Amino acid sequence: MIAINLDKAKAIAHDKRRAARAAEFAPLDIKATIPSEAVAAEAARQAIRDKYAVIQTDIDTAPGVPELTLVAQSL
């Protein structure tokens, strides 16, 4: 039987979450520096932060590998 270290699996899921979040932030980083687009860009960035905060909580509270796999597949 193969044993999966849940803590290491969660760390890998967090790495995937960080990479996905960074990819969504990238186009907004430039827009945030343009005065006419800064407010809308910051609102979009906050929506991304909120989305990934929920995913972070889901990863942290996943009781087992099957639940963690479902969260990771959503990334």
Side-chain angles (χ1 to χ4, degrees):
M1 182 168 115
I2 297 174
I4 296 175
N5 182 319
L6 187 58
D7 291 332
K8 287 183 181 180
K10 286 182 178 184
I12 292 167
H14 278 302
D15 288 342
K16 285 182 65 175
R17 176 190 53 81
R18 286 184 197 101
R21 181 178 178 219
E24 285 191 45
F25 266 134
L28 298 172
D29 289 341
I30 294 172
K31 289 183 178 186
T33 64
I34 301 169
S36 63
E37 297 182 31
V39 173
E42 188 52 40
R45 289 164 59 113
Q46 187 58 51
I48 293 168
R49 284 185 199 100
D50 294 344
K51 170 185 167 184
Y52 284 98
V54 170
I55 294 171
Q56 180 174 345
T57 301
D58 290 346
I59 291 170
D60 290 338
T61 60
V65 174
E67 297 83 5
L68 184 59
T69 301
L70 289 175
V71 174
Q73 288 174 344
S74 71
L75 296 173

